[in-house]
Amino acid sequence: MKITYLGTGAAEGVPALFCNCPTCLAARASGGRELRSRTQVLIDGKLCIDFPPDAFYHGLHLGVDLSAVEHLFVTHSHMDHFYAHDFILRGYKYVAAMTAERLHIYGNAEVGKVFAECTRREMRSDVRESITMTEIKPFSVVRAGEYCVTALPAVHSKNEDALLFLVERGNKAYLHLHDTGMPPASVFAYLKESGKKVRLVSLDCTLVDTHSSTSGRHMGIEENAAVMRRLKADGVADGNTRFVITHFSHNSAPLTARLRPIEEEYGVTAAYDGMTVEL
Ligand SMILES: [Zn+2]
Ligand SMILES: [Zn+2]
Ligand SMILES: [Zn+2]
């Protein structure tokens, strides 16, 4: 199982679209790994979690064939995770020789509404017909080709059931924990009872170590550490499980020099755009 972090920034990206704070100025001047596009994770080139406005940029800079994505799981309807306008371009004269003809999108009811709103004006009916929208809820289990994907409840929005995902292929399991505050007890209970062991966990680290925080909607490194301890105590993770922190905000100054000591202290890897982890 190959997990690629196409984008590792929060909604505004780093440098943020309209920002000149010291972090954004430094990121703009340095370029490279200091630049963070909006969050998107690609698994084996064909299963995707989230589809931000930067999907186009990921195609440009990371050599990704997004036409090969057969299954798209959407965490929630916020714009940085689901930019549905771009699906208008998935057909008609805008494409040739797509790798996968059909795209299956799975998301909550709000994701379905956003898709309908954003595509209503410009999507041709033949393009619409090649996309299957499936509504999922917390604890839905979906068979997606060779993958088994379980949706779990996030703590992120009062307006919709934001979702976390457990993605399994064979005996390999990847746990995607963003966007969320500290996950609810039901998530830990479900994972413990399932008896599953995860090989890689991605953690919402929007707040890094800014202690003004515990937003309830996102996590920082201390909450990440609590999640890691709990998963290990429950036998869901062990010494071979890798923990990756991601979804960084410019407000938390996520420059690599600052993240390095945090990686060492907490035993985590800070994701960067284009980083791949092989399970
Ligand atoms: Zn987000
Ligand atoms: Zn900034
Ligand atoms: Zn969000």
Side-chain angles (χ1 to χ4, degrees), residues 149-230:
V149 181
T150 305
L152 296 166
V155 178
H156 187 59
S157 169
K158 288 191 175 70
N159 304 320
E160 61 182 296
D161 285 330
L163 299 171
L164 310 169
F165 295 114
L166 174 69
V167 182
E168 297 168 87
R169 197 193 76 193
N171 62 355
K172 308 271 174 76
Y174 162 65
L175 185 58
H176 185 94
L177 301 182
H178 47 94
D179 296 7
T180 188
M182 180 58 101
S186 61
V187 168
F188 293 108
Y190 179 92
L191 291 169
K192 186 179 182 183
E193 279 161 30
S194 73
K196 284 165 184 162
K197 195 145 262 174
V198 297
R199 303 277 291 270
L200 173 66
V201 183
S202 291
L203 296 154
D204 181 319
C205 198
T206 309
L207 308 168
V208 190
D209 59 356
T210 53
H211 290 293
S212 54
S213 56
T214 304
S215 72
R217 302 158 30 91
H218 290 292
M219 291 189 279
I221 190 65
E222 290 303 333
E223 285 166 305
N224 292 168
V227 171
M228 291 162 64
R229 282 194 297 273
R230 177 70 189 266

Coordinates of all heavy atoms in Angstrom, one line a residue, residues 149-230:
V149 N -13.2 0.3 3.3 CA -13.0 1.6 3.9 C -14.1 1.7 4.9 O -15.3 1.6 4.6 CB -13.1 2.7 2.9 CG1 -13.0 4.1 3.5 CG2 -12.0 2.5 1.8
T150 N -13.7 2.0 6.2 CA -14.7 2.3 7.3 C -14.7 3.7 7.6 O -13.7 4.3 7.8 CB -14.3 1.4 8.5 OG1 -14.2 0.1 8.1 CG2 -15.4 1.6 9.6
A151 N -15.9 4.3 7.6 CA -16.0 5.7 8.0 C -16.2 5.8 9.5 O -17.0 5.0 10.1 CB -17.2 6.4 7.3
L152 N -15.6 6.7 10.1 CA -15.7 6.9 11.6 C -16.0 8.4 11.9 O -15.6 9.2 11.1 CB -14.3 6.5 12.3 CG -14.0 5.0 12.1 CD1 -12.5 4.8 12.5 CD2 -14.9 4.1 12.9
P153 N -16.6 8.6 13.0 CA -17.0 10.0 13.3 C -15.9 10.9 13.7 O -15.1 10.6 14.6 CB -18.0 9.9 14.4 CG -17.7 8.6 15.1 CD -17.1 7.7 14.1
A154 N -15.8 12.1 13.1 CA -14.8 13.1 13.5 C -15.5 14.1 14.4 O -16.7 14.1 14.5 CB -14.3 13.8 12.2
V155 N -14.7 14.9 15.1 CA -15.2 16.0 15.9 C -14.7 17.3 15.2 O -13.6 17.7 15.3 CB -14.6 16.0 17.3 CG1 -15.2 17.2 18.1 CG2 -15.0 14.7 18.0
H156 N -15.6 17.8 14.3 CA -15.1 18.9 13.5 C -16.1 20.0 13.1 O -15.8 21.1 13.0 CB -14.5 18.3 12.2 CG -13.8 19.4 11.3 ND1 -12.7 20.1 11.7 CD2 -14.1 19.8 10.0 CE1 -12.4 20.9 10.8 NE2 -13.2 20.8 9.7
S157 N -17.4 19.6 13.0 CA -18.4 20.5 12.5 C -19.7 20.2 13.1 O -20.1 19.1 13.2 CB -18.5 20.5 11.0 OG -19.6 21.2 10.5
K158 N -20.4 21.3 13.5 CA -21.8 21.1 14.0 C -22.8 20.9 12.9 O -23.9 20.4 13.1 CB -22.2 22.3 14.8 CG -21.5 22.4 16.2 CD -22.2 23.5 17.1 CE -21.6 23.5 18.4 NZ -20.2 24.1 18.4
N159 N -22.4 21.2 11.7 CA -23.3 21.2 10.6 C -23.4 20.0 9.7 O -24.2 19.9 8.8 CB -23.0 22.4 9.6 CG -23.0 23.7 10.4 OD1 -23.8 23.9 11.3 ND2 -22.0 24.6 10.1
E160 N -22.4 19.1 10.0 CA -22.4 17.9 9.2 C -21.6 16.8 9.9 O -20.9 17.1 10.9 CB -21.7 18.1 7.8 CG -20.3 18.6 8.0 CD -19.7 18.9 6.6 OE1 -19.5 17.9 5.8 OE2 -19.3 20.0 6.3
D161 N -21.8 15.5 9.5 CA -21.1 14.4 10.1 C -19.7 14.3 9.4 O -19.6 13.5 8.4 CB -21.8 13.1 9.9 CG -23.0 13.0 10.9 OD1 -22.9 13.6 12.0 OD2 -24.0 12.4 10.5
A162 N -18.7 15.1 9.8 CA -17.4 14.9 9.3 C -16.9 13.5 9.6 O -17.2 12.9 10.6 CB -16.5 16.0 9.8
L163 N -16.1 13.0 8.7 CA -15.7 11.6 8.8 C -14.1 11.4 8.8 O -13.4 12.1 8.2 CB -16.2 10.8 7.6 CG -17.8 10.8 7.5 CD1 -18.2 10.2 6.1 CD2 -18.4 10.1 8.6
L164 N -13.8 10.4 9.5 CA -12.4 9.9 9.5 C -12.4 8.5 8.7 O -13.5 8.0 8.6 CB -11.9 9.6 10.9 CG -12.1 10.8 11.9 CD1 -11.9 10.3 13.3 CD2 -11.2 11.9 11.5
F165 N -11.3 8.0 8.3 CA -11.4 6.8 7.5 C -10.3 5.8 7.9 O -9.1 6.2 8.2 CB -11.2 7.1 6.0 CG -12.3 7.9 5.4 CD1 -12.1 9.2 4.9 CD2 -13.6 7.4 5.3 CE1 -13.1 9.9 4.4 CE2 -14.6 8.1 4.8 CZ -14.4 9.4 4.3
L166 N -10.7 4.5 8.0 CA -9.8 3.4 8.1 C -9.8 2.7 6.7 O -10.9 2.2 6.3 CB -10.3 2.4 9.2 CG -9.5 1.1 9.3 CD1 -8.1 1.4 9.9 CD2 -10.3 0.2 10.2
V167 N -8.7 2.7 6.1 CA -8.6 2.1 4.7 C -7.7 0.9 4.8 O -6.6 0.9 5.3 CB -7.9 3.1 3.7 CG1 -7.9 2.5 2.3 CG2 -8.7 4.4 3.7
E168 N -8.3 -0.3 4.4 CA -7.6 -1.5 4.5 C -7.5 -2.2 3.1 O -8.4 -2.1 2.3 CB -8.4 -2.5 5.4 CG -8.5 -2.0 6.8 CD -9.5 -2.9 7.6 OE1 -9.1 -3.9 8.1 OE2 -10.7 -2.5 7.6
R169 N -6.3 -2.8 2.9 CA -6.2 -3.6 1.7 C -5.4 -4.8 2.2 O -4.3 -4.7 2.6 CB -5.4 -2.9 0.6 CG -5.5 -3.6 -0.8 CD -4.5 -3.1 -1.8 NE -3.2 -3.7 -1.5 CZ -2.1 -3.2 -2.1 NH1 -2.1 -2.2 -2.9 NH2 -1.0 -3.8 -1.8
G170 N -6.0 -6.0 2.1 CA -5.4 -7.2 2.6 C -5.1 -7.0 4.1 O -6.0 -6.5 4.8
N171 N -3.9 -7.2 4.6 CA -3.6 -7.1 6.0 C -3.0 -5.7 6.3 O -2.5 -5.5 7.4 CB -2.8 -8.2 6.5 CG -1.4 -8.2 5.8 OD1 -1.2 -7.5 4.9 ND2 -0.6 -9.1 6.3
K172 N -3.0 -4.8 5.4 CA -2.5 -3.5 5.6 C -3.6 -2.5 5.9 O -4.6 -2.5 5.3 CB -1.8 -3.0 4.3 CG -0.8 -3.9 3.7 CD 0.6 -3.7 4.3 CE 1.6 -4.8 3.9 NZ 2.1 -4.5 2.5
A173 N -3.4 -1.7 6.9 CA -4.4 -0.7 7.3 C -3.8 0.7 7.6 O -2.8 0.8 8.2 CB -5.1 -1.2 8.6
Y174 N -4.5 1.7 7.0 CA -4.1 3.1 7.2 C -5.3 3.8 7.8 O -6.4 3.7 7.5 CB -3.9 3.7 5.8 CG -3.9 5.2 5.7 CD1 -2.9 5.9 6.4 CD2 -4.9 5.9 5.0 CE1 -3.0 7.3 6.4 CE2 -4.9 7.2 5.0 CZ -3.9 8.0 5.7 OH -4.0 9.3 5.7
L175 N -4.9 4.6 8.9 CA -6.0 5.3 9.6 C -5.8 6.8 9.4 O -4.7 7.4 9.7 CB -5.8 5.0 11.1 CG -6.8 5.5 12.1 CD1 -8.2 5.1 11.7 CD2 -6.5 5.1 13.5
H176 N -6.8 7.5 8.9 CA -6.8 8.9 8.5 C -7.6 9.7 9.5 O -8.8 9.7 9.5 CB -7.4 8.9 7.1 CG -7.4 10.3 6.4 ND1 -6.4 10.6 5.5 CD2 -8.2 11.3 6.4 CE1 -6.6 11.9 5.1 NE2 -7.7 12.3 5.6
L177 N -6.9 10.5 10.3 CA -7.5 11.2 11.4 C -7.5 12.7 11.3 O -6.9 13.4 12.1 CB -6.9 10.8 12.8 CG -7.0 9.3 13.1 CD1 -6.4 9.0 14.5 CD2 -8.4 8.7 13.1
H178 N -8.0 13.2 10.2 CA -8.2 14.7 10.1 C -9.3 14.9 9.0 O -9.5 14.1 8.2 CB -6.9 15.4 9.7 CG -6.1 14.8 8.6 ND1 -6.2 15.1 7.3 CD2 -5.2 13.7 8.6 CE1 -5.4 14.4 6.5 NE2 -4.8 13.6 7.3
D179 N -10.0 16.1 9.2 CA -9.9 17.1 10.2 C -10.7 16.7 11.4 O -11.9 16.4 11.3 CB -10.5 18.4 9.7 CG -9.8 19.0 8.5 OD1 -8.9 18.4 8.0 OD2 -10.1 20.1 8.1
T180 N -10.1 16.8 12.6 CA -10.8 16.5 13.8 C -10.1 17.0 15.0 O -8.9 17.2 15.0 CB -11.0 14.9 13.9 OG1 -11.8 14.6 15.0 CG2 -9.6 14.2 14.1
G181 N -10.9 17.3 16.1 CA -10.4 17.4 17.4 C -10.1 16.0 17.9 O -10.1 15.1 17.2
M182 N -9.8 15.9 19.2 CA -9.6 14.6 19.8 C -10.8 13.7 19.4 O -11.9 14.0 19.6 CB -9.6 14.7 21.3 CG -9.4 13.4 22.1 SD -7.9 12.6 21.5 CE -6.8 13.0 22.8
P183 N -10.5 12.6 18.7 CA -11.6 11.7 18.3 C -12.5 11.2 19.4 O -12.0 11.1 20.5 CB -10.9 10.5 17.6 CG -9.5 11.1 17.2 CD -9.2 12.1 18.3
P184 N -13.7 11.0 19.2 CA -14.6 10.6 20.3 C -14.3 9.1 20.7 O -13.7 8.3 20.0 CB -16.0 10.6 19.6 CG -15.8 10.5 18.2 CD -14.4 11.1 17.9
A185 N -14.8 8.8 21.9 CA -14.6 7.5 22.5 C -15.0 6.4 21.6 O -14.4 5.3 21.6 CB -15.3 7.4 23.9
S186 N -16.1 6.6 20.9 CA -16.7 5.6 20.0 C -15.7 5.1 18.9 O -15.7 4.0 18.5 CB -18.0 6.1 19.3 OG -17.7 7.2 18.5
V187 N -14.8 6.1 18.5 CA -13.8 5.7 17.5 C -12.7 4.7 18.1 O -12.4 3.7 17.5 CB -13.1 7.0 17.0 CG1 -11.8 6.6 16.1 CG2 -14.0 7.8 16.1
F188 N -12.3 5.1 19.3 CA -11.3 4.2 20.0 C -11.9 2.8 20.3 O -11.3 1.8 20.1 CB -10.7 4.9 21.2 CG -9.9 6.1 20.9 CD1 -10.4 7.4 21.2 CD2 -8.7 6.0 20.3 CE1 -9.7 8.5 20.9 CE2 -7.9 7.1 20.0 CZ -8.4 8.4 20.3
A189 N -13.1 2.9 20.7 CA -13.8 1.6 21.1 C -14.0 0.7 19.8 O -13.7 -0.5 19.9 CB -15.2 1.9 21.7
Y190 N -14.4 1.3 18.7 CA -14.6 0.6 17.5 C -13.3 -0.1 17.1 O -13.2 -1.3 16.7 CB -15.1 1.5 16.4 CG -15.3 0.8 15.1 CD1 -16.6 0.2 14.8 CD2 -14.3 0.7 14.2 CE1 -16.8 -0.5 13.6 CE2 -14.5 0.0 13.0 CZ -15.7 -0.6 12.7 OH -15.9 -1.2 11.5
L191 N -12.2 0.7 17.1 CA -10.9 0.2 16.6 C -10.4 -0.9 17.5 O -9.9 -1.9 17.1 CB -9.9 1.3 16.5 CG -10.2 2.4 15.4 CD1 -9.3 3.6 15.6 CD2 -10.0 1.8 14.1
K192 N -10.6 -0.7 18.8 CA -10.1 -1.7 19.8 C -10.9 -3.0 19.6 O -10.3 -4.1 19.5 CB -10.3 -1.2 21.2 CG -9.7 -2.1 22.3 CD -9.9 -1.6 23.6 CE -9.3 -2.5 24.7 NZ -9.5 -2.1 26.0
E193 N -12.2 -2.9 19.5 CA -13.1 -4.1 19.4 C -12.8 -4.8 18.0 O -13.0 -6.1 17.9 CB -14.5 -3.7 19.5 CG -15.0 -3.6 20.9 CD -16.3 -2.8 21.1 OE1 -17.1 -2.8 20.1 OE2 -16.4 -2.1 22.1
S194 N -12.5 -4.1 17.0 CA -12.2 -4.7 15.7 C -11.0 -5.6 15.7 O -10.9 -6.5 14.9 CB -12.0 -3.6 14.6 OG -10.8 -3.0 14.8
G195 N -10.1 -5.4 16.7 CA -8.9 -6.2 16.8 C -7.9 -5.9 15.6 O -6.9 -6.6 15.4
K196 N -8.2 -4.8 14.9 CA -7.3 -4.5 13.8 C -6.0 -3.8 14.2 O -6.0 -3.1 15.3 CB -8.1 -3.6 12.8 CG -9.0 -4.4 12.0 CD -10.0 -3.6 11.3 CE -11.0 -4.5 10.6 NZ -12.3 -3.9 10.2
K197 N -5.0 -3.9 13.5 CA -3.7 -3.3 13.8 C -3.4 -2.3 12.6 O -3.5 -2.8 11.5 CB -2.6 -4.3 13.9 CG -1.4 -3.8 14.6 CD -0.7 -4.8 15.5 CE -1.1 -4.6 16.9 NZ -0.7 -5.5 17.8
V198 N -3.2 -1.1 12.9 CA -2.9 -0.1 11.8 C -1.4 0.1 11.6 O -0.7 0.1 12.6 CB -3.6 1.2 12.0 CG1 -5.1 1.0 12.0 CG2 -3.2 1.9 13.3
R199 N -1.0 0.2 10.4 CA 0.4 0.4 10.1 C 0.8 1.8 9.9 O 2.0 2.2 10.1 CB 0.7 -0.3 8.8 CG 0.4 -1.8 8.8 CD 1.4 -2.7 9.4 NE 2.6 -2.7 8.6 CZ 2.9 -3.6 7.7 NH1 2.0 -4.6 7.4 NH2 4.0 -3.6 7.0
L200 N -0.1 2.7 9.6 CA 0.2 4.1 9.5 C -1.0 4.9 9.9 O -2.2 4.6 9.6 CB 0.4 4.4 8.0 CG 0.6 5.9 7.6 CD1 1.8 6.5 8.2 CD2 0.6 6.0 6.0
V201 N -0.7 6.0 10.7 CA -1.8 6.9 11.2 C -1.4 8.3 10.8 O -0.3 8.7 11.1 CB -1.9 6.8 12.7 CG1 -3.1 7.7 13.2 CG2 -2.1 5.4 13.2
S202 N -2.4 9.0 10.1 CA -2.2 10.4 9.9 C -3.0 11.2 10.9 O -4.2 10.9 11.1 CB -2.7 10.8 8.5 OG -1.9 10.2 7.5
L203 N -2.3 12.2 11.5 CA -2.9 12.9 12.6 C -3.1 14.4 12.2 O -2.2 15.0 11.7 CB -2.1 12.8 13.8 CG -1.9 11.4 14.4 CD1 -0.6 11.3 15.2 CD2 -3.1 11.1 15.3
D204 N -4.3 15.0 12.5 CA -4.5 16.4 12.4 C -3.6 17.1 13.3 O -3.8 17.0 14.6 CB -6.0 16.6 12.7 CG -6.4 18.1 12.6 OD1 -5.7 19.0 13.0 OD2 -7.5 18.3 12.1
C205 N -2.7 17.9 12.8 CA -1.8 18.7 13.7 C -1.8 20.1 13.3 O -0.8 20.8 13.3 CB -0.3 18.1 13.6 SG 0.7 18.6 15.0
T206 N -3.0 20.6 13.0 CA -3.2 22.0 12.6 C -2.6 23.0 13.5 O -2.0 24.0 13.1 CB -4.7 22.2 12.5 OG1 -5.4 21.2 11.7 CG2 -5.0 23.6 11.9
L207 N -2.7 22.7 14.8 CA -2.3 23.6 15.9 C -0.8 23.5 16.3 O -0.3 24.3 17.1 CB -3.2 23.5 17.1 CG -4.7 23.6 16.8 CD1 -5.5 23.1 18.0 CD2 -5.1 25.0 16.3
V208 N -0.1 22.4 15.8 CA 1.2 22.1 16.2 C 1.4 22.2 17.7 O 0.7 21.5 18.4 CB 2.3 22.9 15.4 CG1 3.7 22.4 15.7 CG2 2.0 22.8 13.9
D209 N 2.2 23.1 18.2 CA 2.4 23.3 19.7 C 2.0 24.6 20.2 O 2.5 25.1 21.2 CB 3.8 22.9 20.1 CG 4.8 23.8 19.5 OD1 4.4 24.7 18.6 OD2 6.0 23.7 19.8
T210 N 1.1 25.3 19.5 CA 0.6 26.6 19.9 C -0.4 26.3 21.0 O -1.5 25.7 20.8 CB -0.1 27.3 18.8 OG1 -1.1 26.5 18.2 CG2 0.9 27.8 17.7
H211 N -0.1 26.7 22.2 CA -0.8 26.3 23.4 C -2.1 27.1 23.6 O -2.8 26.9 24.6 CB 0.0 26.2 24.6 CG 1.0 25.0 24.5 ND1 0.5 23.7 24.5 CD2 2.3 25.0 24.3 CE1 1.6 22.9 24.3 NE2 2.7 23.6 24.2
S212 N -2.3 28.1 22.8 CA -3.5 28.9 22.8 C -4.7 27.9 22.4 O -5.8 28.3 22.4 CB -3.5 30.0 21.8 OG -3.1 29.5 20.6
S213 N -4.3 26.7 22.1 CA -5.2 25.8 21.4 C -5.9 24.8 22.2 O -5.7 24.7 23.4 CB -4.4 25.1 20.3 OG -3.3 24.5 20.9
T214 N -6.5 24.0 21.7 CA -7.5 23.0 21.8 C -8.8 23.6 21.3 O -9.6 24.1 22.0 CB -7.7 22.4 23.2 OG1 -6.5 21.9 23.7 CG2 -8.7 21.2 23.2
S215 N -8.8 23.6 20.0 CA -9.9 24.3 19.3 C -11.1 23.4 19.4 O -12.2 23.9 19.2 CB -9.5 24.5 17.8 OG -9.5 23.3 17.1
G216 N -10.9 22.1 19.6 CA -12.1 21.2 19.6 C -12.3 20.7 18.2 O -12.9 19.6 18.0
R217 N -11.9 21.4 17.2 CA -12.1 21.0 15.8 C -10.9 20.5 15.1 O -10.9 19.9 14.0 CB -12.6 22.2 15.0 CG -13.8 22.9 15.4 CD -14.0 24.3 15.0 NE -13.4 24.6 13.7 CZ -14.0 24.6 12.5 NH1 -15.3 24.1 12.5 NH2 -13.4 24.9 11.4
H218 N -9.7 20.8 15.7 CA -8.4 20.3 15.2 C -7.6 19.9 16.4 O -7.9 20.2 17.5 CB -7.7 21.5 14.4 CG -8.4 21.8 13.1 ND1 -8.4 21.0 12.1 CD2 -9.1 22.9 12.8 CE1 -9.1 21.5 11.1 NE2 -9.5 22.7 11.5
M219 N -6.4 19.3 16.1 CA -5.5 18.9 17.2 C -4.2 19.6 17.1 O -3.8 20.2 16.0 CB -5.3 17.4 17.1 CG -6.5 16.6 17.5 SD -6.2 14.8 17.7 CE -6.2 14.3 16.0
G220 N -3.5 19.5 18.2 CA -2.0 19.9 18.2 C -1.2 18.7 18.6 O -1.8 17.6 18.8
I221 N 0.1 18.9 18.8 CA 0.9 17.7 19.0 C 0.6 17.0 20.3 O 0.7 15.8 20.4 CB 2.4 18.1 18.9 CG1 3.3 16.9 18.9 CG2 2.8 19.1 20.0 CD1 3.1 16.0 17.7
E222 N 0.2 17.8 21.4 CA -0.1 17.1 22.6 C -1.3 16.2 22.5 O -1.4 15.1 23.0 CB -0.3 18.1 23.8 CG 0.9 18.9 24.2 CD 2.0 17.9 24.6 OE1 1.8 16.8 25.1 OE2 3.2 18.4 24.5
E223 N -2.3 16.6 21.8 CA -3.5 15.8 21.5 C -3.1 14.6 20.6 O -3.6 13.5 20.8 CB -4.7 16.6 20.9 CG -5.3 17.5 22.0 CD -6.2 18.5 21.3 OE1 -5.7 19.3 20.5 OE2 -7.4 18.6 21.7
N224 N -2.3 14.9 19.6 CA -1.7 13.8 18.8 C -1.1 12.7 19.7 O -1.3 11.5 19.5 CB -0.7 14.3 17.8 CG -1.3 15.2 16.7 OD1 -0.5 15.8 16.0 ND2 -2.6 15.2 16.6
A225 N -0.2 13.2 20.6 CA 0.5 12.2 21.5 C -0.5 11.4 22.3 O -0.3 10.2 22.5 CB 1.5 13.0 22.4
A226 N -1.6 12.0 22.8 CA -2.6 11.3 23.5 C -3.3 10.3 22.7 O -3.6 9.1 23.1 CB -3.6 12.3 24.1
V227 N -3.6 10.6 21.4 CA -4.1 9.6 20.5 C -3.2 8.4 20.3 O -3.6 7.3 20.3 CB -4.5 10.3 19.1 CG1 -4.9 9.2 18.1 CG2 -5.5 11.3 19.2
M228 N -1.9 8.7 20.1 CA -0.9 7.7 19.9 C -0.9 6.7 21.1 O -0.8 5.5 20.9 CB 0.5 8.3 19.6 CG 0.5 9.0 18.3 SD 1.9 10.2 18.2 CE 3.3 9.1 18.3
R229 N -0.8 7.3 22.3 CA -0.8 6.5 23.5 C -2.0 5.6 23.6 O -1.9 4.4 23.9 CB -0.7 7.4 24.8 CG 0.6 8.0 25.0 CD 0.7 8.6 26.4 NE -0.2 9.7 26.6 CZ 0.1 11.0 26.3 NH1 1.2 11.3 25.8 NH2 -0.8 11.9 26.6
R230 N -3.2 6.2 23.3 CA -4.4 5.4 23.4 C -4.4 4.3 22.4 O -4.8 3.1 22.7 CB -5.6 6.4 23.2 CG -6.9 5.7 23.2 CD -7.3 5.2 24.6 NE -8.5 4.4 24.5 CZ -9.7 4.9 24.7 NH1 -9.9 6.2 25.0 NH2 -10.8 4.1 24.7

